[in-house]
Amino acid sequence: MRSYVYARDMGIDQITGQPILGRYITDHVHPLSVAPEEKLDASNVWVLSLETHAVKTLIEKQLLASPNGHNKAKHVTKEWYTKQILSYMAKSKKR
């Protein structure tokens, strides 16, 4: 699955649109802890750089800790994550 997703996404970070040179993460959009049935669903997996994955993990943890977080995490979209991650990364670079 990992190689297939990397080839499908052409080695491009699916959040930033930048080529990934080196290590990468094949990440589940909906975490396995809340959507184990989507483990092998290729539409639930995307390629992220290590930096982008770290930010996604931070946002995901905050989401899961929020009221009704597990249900939210099960239904969040790639577009929502993209918006949240890019916003977080832009704010971090301004500091």
Side-chain angles (χ1 to χ4, degrees):
M1 175 73 86
R2 186 174 192 259
S3 297
Y4 164 76
V5 173
Y6 183 82
R8 179 199 67 195
D9 293 349
M10 297 184 286
I12 302 294
D13 183 305
Q14 296 301 292
I15 299 292
T16 65
Q18 298 298 310
I20 300 172
L21 307 172
R23 294 186 58 211
Y24 63 94
I25 302 287
T26 48
D27 177 68
H28 288 89
V29 178
H30 303 134
L32 294 179
S33 63
V34 299
E37 69 280 2
E38 294 185 53
K39 180 178 182 177
L40 299 177
D41 182 353
S43 68
N44 186 45
V45 184
W46 55 357
V47 172
L48 303 176
S49 68
L50 296 179
E51 177 187 10
T52 304
H53 182 260
V55 175
K56 192 246 181 194
T57 300
L58 177 83
I59 292 169
E60 187 175 271
K61 286 180 181 179
Q62 292 172 349
L63 180 65
L64 289 169
S66 70
N68 203 22
H70 285 263
N71 190 47
K72 291 176 187 175
K74 191 171 184 173
H75 298 286
V76 71
T77 64
K78 288 181 179 181
E79 292 77 15
W80 183 86
Y81 268 126
T82 299
K83 182 179 176 183
Q84 298 300 314
I85 293 167
L86 291 175
S87 175
Y88 182 92
M89 293 172 92
K91 289 176 187 174
S92 294
K93 291 187 181 194
K94 289 181 181 179
R95 295 179 189 169

